[in-house]
Amino acid sequence: MCGIFGYIGHQQALGLLVEGLRRLEYRGYDSTGVALLNDGEISYHRTVGKVGNLQSILPANVPGSQGIAHTRWATHGGVTLENTHPHRSFDGKVTLVHNGIIENYRALSKSLIARGIEMVGETDSEVLVHSIALELAKGVSPETSVRRTLKRVRGTWGLCVMFLEHDLLICARNGSPLIIGTGNGEMFISSDPHPLTSHTQQVVYLEDGDLAVVTKDSLKLSSLQGGSQEANISTLDEDWGESDLGDAPHFMLKEIYEQPDALRQCISGRIDREMGSGRLGGMQLQHNTLIQVPHVRLLGCGTAAIAAEIGQMLIERMARIPAVTHIASEYRNNDPVINPKALYLAVSQSGETADTIAAVKEIKLKGGQVFGVVNVVGSSIARLCGQGVYIHSGPEQSVASTKAFTNMVGALTIFAMQLGRTRHLSKDQGRELIQELQQVPHLMESYLENVGPIDEAVELVSSASSVLYLGRGLSAPVAKEGALKLMELAYIPCLAYPAGEMKHGPMALLEEGSPVVVVAPNDHLKEKTLSAIHECKARGAKIILIHEQGDEIAEEAHVSIPVPKVHPLLTPLLTVLPLQLMAYRTAVLLGKDVDRPRNLAKSVTVE
Ligand code: F6R
């Protein structure tokens, strides 16, 4: 997490840096700062809080055409001004911003203190700036000073370093993303492609172990070990620039309403109506390979893992291939057994989640083939996998994921269909599914035009001390997603359980008036879910029921929220919508910061 932006060129840097930070704010918003070099002096402006707070303390004009900026998600050290980046060396000659974790910072810090250097804050990043300055003081070049320092460091970094006496920036990457945008007599550095699109389409993605010396008109790339290498220039997709709030009050609401179009994007050109199959070119899978797949493993974190669970069920149902979802952070630490013939899918909106990246590396190391199911084009997971499917949600700015979730489910549905057609799914079944899938964006629109009594549900949950979410089959992960959304946005403790499991423990929580959200589309499990509803009502619970339009199960609800009818395998794409809105409106009602929930950040690039 944390966002880095840097500039060196011919324009005044301050406005560019602040705008870059604004676009990266979703990566962390505990504190923020900029440093600018001008006429042999570096000016620093830092504050606790968001980019808006920084703007309010900035002087009208801070000259300088070179600078670095940072928005922080605190890992080591509290949310204080001292811990805010950019950090400055003891002698004032080096300034840096860092994203990542320095694992051996204690040892490094002790040795710096032993040399008489005072540590100003508690961050692990601060050891880097003093160490680089110590090396520089020995008379070596800025590049050598950074290289020597990083060789002593264990951990992860995306690093941008500025020097008082040198007209250049040094960038380095190991585990935390960094991208250099090359312009005409100017260079931009960013943690992700978003802020670059308004300046240049030509970018260089740094790889792990890369070190770059950047001047306003040159980029020299080498490895940490020293060998120089060629910088591969990629061209950015212009779509990534369109991420403004427009008239919407929050990005989350905007993104909820973008879901129909986002799903159209995801489906478009990827289905073969004639054969009743999916056509995911980027998977580069031949039919004879698909036939032999022994099992599928899906990996992700948070919402991505929940989308993966739905994908897992769809793969088992359509293709009859065993499929299992793993939380990436657990999977990689459990010395997993990898079958080279199996398919591994890494699901991630950002493509930068450190735990998912580490799981991909573990699988690849053991000879497994991993496919990315990713939103951000050119992200680390996309490049690491080299094959897979982009979900094409467009930029998702709200920390809470919405349109990426539905598009992950959409892409995994098409994949399951493609896999299924090589096995058990008949052409007619495939065609029926395709027809229904193509209807889903319209159905989403029709629901979003008339969302039902969400506010009645909000009234029940906003005053509750906890909320229970229930569902069965494909609706069990949907219930989980609803619980995650309400919890992360409104800070209300939520539990999600497969409805049948409720009586094995969670039911003890129920008392008169407890809100229970039940997801019960009209599938083969509805009758069983009904039993759970009765059991909850018998204990005085108030049922908020997400069900299909016209279904008589609505009579069981205290608050009944109907969604349009759809094929039973596609229900998650609709039943999740009221849950997203419920979480959104509850957070607004409680006065929470919807797009920037406390303690969270969008792109979790640390373990
Ligand atoms: C929840 C949410 C997170 C992310 C998780 C994985 O709304 O957004 O749970 O889903 O941090 O992130 P990605 O998908 O970028 O790997």
Side-chain angles (χ1 to χ4, degrees):
M1 347 250 281
C2 305
I4 288 177
F5 198 81
Y7 177 78
I8 178 165
H10 49 79
Q11 302 187 56
Q12 287 301 312
L14 184 67
L16 300 169
L17 295 173
V18 171
E19 176 57 16
L21 283 184
R22 200 186 59 72
R23 295 212 165 226
L24 292 170
E25 194 179 54
Y26 71 90
R27 300 177 66 89
Y29 31 85
D30 288 329
S31 63
T32 178
V34 290
L36 286 106
L37 175 64
N38 186 50
D39 247 354
E41 265 183 47
I42 294 181
S43 55
Y44 294 84
H45 305 274
R46 305 185 301 172
T47 181
V48 167
K50 299 186 178 142
V51 179
N53 300 51
L54 179 68
Q55 279 170 305
S56 65
I57 62 148
L58 279 173
N61 177 27
V62 183
S65 52
Q66 184 182 147
I68 56 178
H70 188 272
T71 176
R72 178 171 187 245
W73 183 77
T75 52
H76 285 76
V79 180
T80 63
L81 198 57
E82 292 72 32
N83 292 339
T84 301
H85 299 227
H87 291 296
R88 160 176 29 185
S89 62
F90 60 91
D91 58 2
K93 294 196 172 175
V94 183
T95 305
L96 68 71
V97 287
H98 167 233
N99 171 22
I101 288 181
I102 305 304
E103 289 166 10
N104 57 338
Y105 86 99
R106 277 202 181 81
L108 294 171
S109 151
K110 264 190 202 154
S111 90
L112 288 167
I113 292 166
R115 299 177 74 161
I117 292 171
E118 188 197 343
M119 303 298 286
V120 180
E122 308 141 318
T123 68
D124 52 345
S125 313
E126 201 187 327
V127 298
L128 297 175
V129 76
H130 300 311
S131 302
I132 293 169
L134 279 178
E135 291 298 335
L136 198 66
K138 292 177 188 163
V140 301
S141 69
E143 182 181 353
T144 304
S145 68
V146 174
R147 177 170 282 115
R148 282 189 187 168
T149 299
L150 291 179
K151 280 187 177 171
R152 289 197 297 270
V153 166
R154 243 189 11 254
T156 56
W157 56 82
L159 201 62
C160 189
V161 194
M162 187 162 78
F163 298 85
L164 183 66
E165 293 163 351
H166 300 267
D167 220 2
L168 49 79
L169 297 174
I170 295 205
C171 302
R173 168 185 168 140
N174 187 44
S176 303
L178 215 53
I179 302 158
I180 300 172
T182 65
N184 211 346
E186 55 186 348
M187 297 280 187
F188 304 83
I189 292 121
S190 175
S191 294
D192 87 21
H194 281 137
L196 298 177
T197 46
S198 49
H199 305 296
T200 175
Q201 307 301 122
Q202 307 301 304
V203 300
V204 175
Y205 290 94
L206 294 192
E207 301 292 343
D208 284 352
D210 280 355
L211 197 144
V213 181
V214 184
T215 68
K216 66 186 169 58
D217 31 38
S218 72
L219 165 59
K220 185 180 136 218
L221 201 61
S222 59
S223 76
L224 192 52
Q225 302 319 315
S228 73
Q229 44 201 56
E230 193 145 333
N232 290 323
I233 301 211
S234 310
T235 303
L236 284 179
D237 191 340
E238 285 180 34
D239 286 358
W240 283 97
E242 295 167 9
S243 54
D244 289 331
L245 191 53
D247 293 335
H250 300 102
F251 278 109
M252 184 179 178
L253 190 63
K254 177 173 179 264
E255 287 160 8
I256 288 175
Y257 276 82
E258 281 172 353
Q259 286 176 106
D261 275 340
L263 187 62
R264 277 190 192 101
Q265 267 310 109
C266 174
I267 298 171
S268 144
R270 288 169 156 179
I271 40 192
D272 181 343
R273 248 179 274 168
E274 171 58 24
M275 296 306 288
S277 182
R279 196 165 47 198
L280 295 172
M283 296 298 262
Q284 294 164 15
L285 281 168
Q286 302 304 325
H287 296 317
N288 52 1
T289 317
L290 288 179
I291 293 170
Q292 291 168 32
V293 169
H295 59 248
V296 182
R297 296 273 190 266
L298 301 99
L299 302 131
C301 298
T303 284
I306 296 174
E309 280 183 37
I310 294 171
Q312 159 199 326
M313 289 183 202
L314 294 175
I315 290 165
E316 291 210 336
R317 297 267 190 90
M318 293 191 213
R320 310 303 300 150
I321 301 176
V324 180
T325 297
H326 298 271
I327 298 292
S329 54
E330 281 296 299
Y331 186 74
R332 71 189 185 83
N333 290 319
N334 288 338
D335 196 13
V337 178
I338 303 301
N339 181 337
K341 288 196 171 154
L343 289 184
Y344 294 85
L345 303 182
V347 186
S348 173
Q349 187 283 130
S350 62
E352 300 295 349
T353 300
D355 288 318
T356 312
I357 292 175
V360 171
K361 287 184 178 163
E362 176 76 12
I363 297 164
K364 288 186 74 166
L365 182 83
K366 293 176 172 173
Q369 44 178 345
V370 198
F371 298 81
V373 181
V374 170
N375 191 32
V376 179
V377 177
S379 56
S380 299
I381 293 177
R383 285 177 298 122
L384 200 57
C385 294
Q387 54 199 356
V389 44
Y390 283 119
I391 62 169
H392 293 317
S393 298
E396 197 183 57
Q397 300 273 344
S398 164
V399 163
S401 188
T402 53
K403 61 177 180 169
F405 172 78
T406 38
N407 271 25
M408 283 167 185
V409 173
L412 289 168
T413 306
I414 299 171
F415 176 65
M417 220 186 281
Q418 189 168 342
L419 209 54
R421 284 291 287 121
T422 65
R423 310 227 177 179
H424 293 263
L425 196 71
S426 73
K427 195 195 263 187
D428 285 346
Q429 287 170 320
R431 281 178 172 167
E432 187 198 342
L433 262 163
I434 285 175
Q435 215 174 14
E436 295 251 1
L437 182 61
Q438 286 182 313
Q439 283 307 310
V440 173
H442 303 297
L443 300 177
M444 283 174 153
E445 269 158 1
S446 112
Y447 171 73
L448 290 171
E449 271 162 25
N450 179 11
V451 298
I454 297 288
D455 289 337
E456 285 177 37
V458 169
E459 207 181 307
L460 283 182
V461 299
S462 57
S463 54
S465 53
S466 68
V467 183
L468 183 60
Y469 282 73
L470 302 175
R472 273 178 190 265
L474 285 164
S475 299
V478 176
K480 251 194 204 176
E481 176 60 5
L484 178 61
K485 289 286 98 94
L486 185 66
M487 194 159 50
E488 73 181 318
L489 294 175
Y491 320 145
I492 297 172
C494 296
L495 279 180
Y497 268 85
E501 189 65 8
M502 195 250 329
K503 56 192 173 295
H504 299 293
M507 201 153 76
L509 288 180
L510 296 185
E511 50 194 37
E512 199 58 42
S514 305
V516 177
V517 181
V518 183
V519 185
N522 195 11
D523 59 16
H524 67 294
L525 295 166
K526 188 183 73 176
E527 293 305 321
K528 289 186 185 299
T529 308
L530 194 55
S531 313
I533 293 176
H534 289 154
E535 286 156 13
C536 292
K537 282 168 80 173
R539 270 96 194 155
K542 294 260 190 260
I543 307 295
I544 298 163
L545 184 63
I546 316 298
H547 61 88
E548 284 183 19
Q549 243 149 27
D551 192 334
E552 62 198 22
I553 196 172
E555 291 163 13
E556 301 291 339
H558 294 91
V559 180
S560 133
I561 305 179
V563 296
K565 276 186 208 303
V566 74
H567 190 291
L569 292 182
L570 304 177
T571 56
L573 293 167
L574 289 161
T575 51
V576 77
L577 303 180
L579 302 184
Q580 295 169 341
L581 283 168
M582 222 169 91
Y584 170 76
R585 289 199 195 169
T586 307
V588 172
L589 181 79
L590 296 177
K592 308 298 183 205
D593 189 343
V594 178
D595 285 333
R596 304 284 178 260
R598 76 178 178 207
N599 303 339
L600 298 178
K602 187 143 191 75
S603 193
V604 189
T605 59
V606 295
E607 288 177 19

